[in-house]
Amino acid sequence: MLRDRFAGPHTPATATGKAWIAASFRTNTTELHAISQPGMMQAGIRNLPGAVIIGGGMIVESNGSLVGAVGVSGAPGEDADDACAKAGLNAIHDKLDF
């Protein structure tokens, strides 16, 4: 875990919640955000303890299998959190095929 000294104290728990929910549902949090709006069938997942369903949580796969997830928080907006998560995954992409 890395945290910029200017990132708020809530960001580690937020990032962890994003990674946890992405791994649990095997779906990136941006996609979960879209399908779990109030009134939708999957809306209940927003009430799970520790669940953070906004952009920045992405699954990590190797050879088609889920091996983990990454969560990013602290950028100015969930789109930026998503971009940071994608950049991190792209940086290690060649190391994931084991």
Side-chain angles (χ1 to χ4, degrees), residues 38-92:
M40 298 182 109
M41 188 182 328
Q42 294 87 353
I45 65 174
R46 291 171 172 261
N47 298 323
L48 293 172
V52 180
I53 305 178
I54 54 176
M58 297 194 166
I59 59 173
V60 179
E61 294 179 303
S62 177
N63 293 323
S65 295
L66 179 73
V67 295
V70 62
V72 175
S73 180
E78 64 184 284
D79 291 340
D81 286 344
D82 252 358
C84 289
K86 284 178 189 173
L89 289 174
N90 287 339
I92 63 165

Side-chain angles (χ1 to χ4, degrees), residues 11-24 29 49-54 57 70-71:
T11 57
T14 301
T16 301
K18 291 177 182 185
W20 176 79
I21 201 76
S24 294
T29 55
V52 180
I53 305 178
I54 54 176
V70 62

Side-chain angles (χ1 to χ4, degrees), residues 5-44:
R5 65 185 178 144
F6 297 114
H10 67 284
T11 57
T14 301
T16 301
K18 291 177 182 185
W20 176 79
I21 201 76
S24 294
F25 285 88
R26 299 175 180 262
T27 307
N28 295 336
T29 55
T30 298
E31 295 172 50
L32 288 171
H33 184 263
I35 65 169
S36 66
Q37 295 298 311
M40 298 182 109
M41 188 182 328
Q42 294 87 353

